[in-house]
Amino acid sequence: MASLKLLLVLLGFLYLAIIEAQETTYLKHNCSSNKNFTANSAYHFNLQSLLSNLSSTTTDFYNATAGTTNDDTVFGLFMCRGDVPLQLCRQCVQNASERISSECRYSKEAIIWYDECLLRCSNFSFFSTVSEGPTLCLLNTVNATFVGSFNTFLAKMLTGVVAEASNYSASPKNFANKSDNISAFQTLYTLAQCTPDLSSKDCHRCLRDVMGNISMCYLGKQGGRVLYPSCNLRYELYPFYRSITDSAPAPTPSANTPLPIVLTVLLGFFCYILQKRRKKSYKAVLLENFGDESATLDSLQFNMGIIEAAANKFSQENMIGKGGFGEVYKVTKANLEYVKSK
Ligand SMILES: *[C@@H]1O[C@H](CO)[C@@H](O)[C@H](O)[C@H]1NC(C)=O
Ligand SMILES: *[C@@H]1O[C@H](CO)[C@@H](O)[C@H](O)[C@H]1NC(C)=O
Ligand SMILES: *[C@@H]1O[C@H](CO)[C@@H](O)[C@H](O)[C@H]1NC(C)=O
Ligand SMILES: *[C@@H]1O[C@H](CO)[C@@H](O)[C@H](O)[C@H]1NC(C)=O
Ligand SMILES: *[C@@H]1O[C@H](CO)[C@@H](O)[C@H](O)[C@H]1NC(C)=O
Ligand SMILES: *[C@@H]1O[C@H](CO)[C@@H](O)[C@H](O)[C@H]1NC(C)=O
Ligand SMILES: *[C@@H]1O[C@H](CO)[C@@H](O)[C@H](O)[C@H]1NC(C)=O
Ligand SMILES: *[C@@H]1O[C@H](CO)[C@@H](O)[C@H](O)[C@H]1NC(C)=O
Ligand SMILES: *[C@@H]1O[C@H](CO)[C@@H](O)[C@H](O)[C@H]1NC(C)=O
Ligand SMILES: *[C@@H]1O[C@H](CO)[C@@H](O)[C@H](O)[C@H]1NC(C)=O
Ligand SMILES: *[C@@H]1O[C@H](CO)[C@@H](O)[C@H](O)[C@H]1NC(C)=O
């Protein structure tokens, strides 16, 4: 019986570890419905070669052009979130380009957002220009406590992170993250990023507009984000970005590796992850992967069932501090109530 419980716990954690190592999270796409190209045209061909060029690039930002004549030239770029490791970035761009070509089949203008990356194409050159539409707003529906002081603190933090992200001598990747303690119990995490083709001034303008949107939509909420094609801003009461040391390679057992070896390797990996995260970023693991995307809610609930069962058994066995685990689950459940507002 005890070993069954342990197995359950391990399965839960293995799942988290694996998910964290290789999964990317789709958020939304938007395709033009009035600017279409025809199948097998020169435009179609150029788009395909542009997407394959973008998905075989090994950087965290790239802009590219395909085509020679005005009518069938395609412009495109991708950008990964500043803390995403390059390997995951590339997987994200590959998935994004597959998905954009199936979802936006014949659209000349298309954009797709993932948690980890953004991919955009168009028939006009949008490089080095601020684009503020289409917009994606995601909202944490949980109300903040002590709303007045939370908002003051939030405004101060966002102003700081925006200033840092748009100061290219301080943030060459046009990316900044800042965290600070609101109280002894709460830490606010913020992130801002612009596509690197923007000038410092344009980046600042874009992020200022995003901030305006955040104050309209989200004041009083515990978390939220606004994503424009050119820049984005996010804040939460949990660490939603990775720390650089977290980029452990994904375990990729091959089909014919004997099961005991696979299990041993996975177990080792799990212990490693667990040890590394026990103190600080446990919430990050759970929330990053399960917290906020309504698109994956269905599978989440199932997975959370496993985790919850595992967590309860685990704390009964007193193998991990009850407090830490209970808290993680409570926070996660609250965050399952995220909705898309737009
Ligand atoms: C890419 O998409 C496939 C399914 O389309 C999925 O199995 C895989 O996990 C995705 N990769 C990433 C990095 O999200
Ligand atoms: C993408 O296209 C550019 C211009 O044609 C080329 O220089 C570059 O090598 C290509 N990158 C990849 C990874 O194919
Ligand atoms: C990328 O964008 C810059 C402007 O930001 C432009 O000068 C450059 O030509 C673009 N690169 C490609 C391959 O289109
Ligand atoms: C253009 O293509 C999109 C799919 O990408 C489709 O939904 C839309 O109906 C098409 N519009 C026209 C005018 O053909
Ligand atoms: C992009 O395509 C649309 C619709 O096909 C066309 O009206 C527009 O002029 C094109 N823009 C450029 C810059 O080629
Ligand atoms: C796509 O973006 C356009 C322009 O911003 C907006 O009018 C439209 O509602 C968006 N479509 C979807 C499905 O979000
Ligand atoms: C959150 O705050 C709003 C406005 O202050 C209020 O209408 C709503 O009932 C609150 N929601 C919860 C769950 O407390
Ligand atoms: C930009 O960052 C540099 C280096 O951190 C700093 O010296 C400078 O004061 C900053 N500029 C602004 C306008 O904040
Ligand atoms: C925030 O709180 C944690 C523990 O509560 C503490 O270790 C850390 O030093 C605090 N950070 C700041 C900037 O005060
Ligand atoms: C976002 O800000 C822009 C410019 O400041 C404004 O035009 C737009 O209406 C705002 N959108 C929302 C949802 O607040
Ligand atoms: C910002 O992100 C980096 C990389 O993910 C991380 O190492 C660092 O601790 C974060 N900074 C703050 C203030 O959270």
Side-chain angles (χ1 to χ4, degrees), residues 49 52-58 62 64-65:
S49 79
S52 100
N53 185 291
L54 291 181
S55 26
S56 53
T57 303
T58 50
Y62 196 65
T65 323

Side-chain angles (χ1 to χ4, degrees), residues 22-25 88 91-92 94-95 98 114:
Q22 53 182 217
E23 202 71 2
T24 54
T25 308
L88 186 61
Q91 283 175 19
C92 187
Q94 282 168 353
N95 268 30
E98 267 175 43
Y114 280 65

Side-chain angles (χ1 to χ4, degrees), residues 179-181 183-187:
S179 59
D180 204 352
N181 295 341
S183 66
F185 315 104
Q186 288 189 320
T187 306

Side-chain angles (χ1 to χ4, degrees), residues 134-320:
T135 302
L136 172 59
C137 294
L138 293 167
L139 164 69
N140 183 332
T141 55
V142 181
N143 285 347
T145 43
F146 309 115
V147 169
S149 54
F150 180 82
N151 286 349
T152 310
F153 194 86
L154 177 63
K156 207 177 110 224
M157 288 276 297
L158 291 180
T159 308
V161 79
V162 162
E164 188 174 321
S166 54
N167 178 347
Y168 288 4
S169 48
S171 320
K173 287 170 84 180
N174 319 295
F175 165 77
N177 59 333
K178 276 180 176 296
S179 59
D180 204 352
N181 295 341
I182 300 186
S183 66
F185 315 104
Q186 288 189 320
T187 306
L188 183 67
Y189 297 85
T190 60
L191 178 157
Q193 188 170 21
C194 296
T195 59
D197 56 325
L198 292 192
S199 69
S200 196
K201 201 167 145 248
D202 284 343
C203 175
H204 194 254
R205 193 183 99 208
C206 187
L207 286 170
R208 290 297 306 198
D209 289 345
V210 165
M211 258 178 82
N213 281 171
I214 280 196
S215 45
M216 275 200 245
C217 306
Y218 301 143
L219 278 184
K221 298 298 177 189
Q222 263 190 15
R225 55 180 134 167
V226 176
L227 298 113
Y228 286 170
S230 292
C231 67
N232 62 73
L233 190 60
R234 180 173 183 189
Y235 73 95
E236 303 286 356
L237 287 176
Y238 61 85
F240 53 89
Y241 37 77
R242 282 150 224 266
S243 76
I244 278 163
T245 50
D246 278 357
S247 52
T252 47
S254 70
N256 53 6
T257 314
L259 190 61
I261 296 184
V262 173
L263 284 180
T264 312
V265 169
L266 288 179
L267 188 62
F269 182 66
F270 148 68
C271 290
Y272 166 69
I273 293 273
L274 181 61
Q275 196 184 15
K276 225 171 48 170
R277 293 170 179 283
R278 178 170 281 169
K279 273 222 156 57
K280 193 187 153 222
S281 61
Y282 229 93
K283 282 185 197 171
V285 182
L286 285 165
L287 290 165
E288 170 97 39
N289 298 293
F290 297 113
D292 52 355
E293 313 319 344
S294 54
T296 43
L297 259 179
D298 286 349
S299 67
L300 283 188
Q301 273 159 356
F302 171 67
N303 293 325
M304 281 313 298
I306 295 178
I307 303 305
E308 184 190 24
N312 287 339
K313 309 277 191 217
F314 213 19
S315 53
Q316 271 166 27
E317 304 271 316
N318 246 345
M319 293 165 104
I320 262 192

Side-chain angles (χ1 to χ4, degrees), residues 23-29 79-81 84 88-89 91-100 102-103 111-119 136 138 225 227 232 234 293:
E23 202 71 2
T24 54
T25 308
Y26 161 79
L27 297 176
K28 203 178 172 171
H29 69 270
M79 172 177 76
C80 287
R81 209 174 64 198
V84 168
L88 186 61
C89 174
Q91 283 175 19
C92 187
V93 175
Q94 282 168 353
N95 268 30
S97 45
E98 267 175 43
R99 188 152 188 162
I100 212 169
S102 64
E103 303 273 10
I111 182 164
I112 186 162
W113 285 281
Y114 280 65
D115 223 354
E116 294 80 8
C117 69
L118 145 87
L119 177 74
L136 172 59
L138 293 167
R225 55 180 134 167
L227 298 113
N232 62 73
R234 180 173 183 189
E293 313 319 344

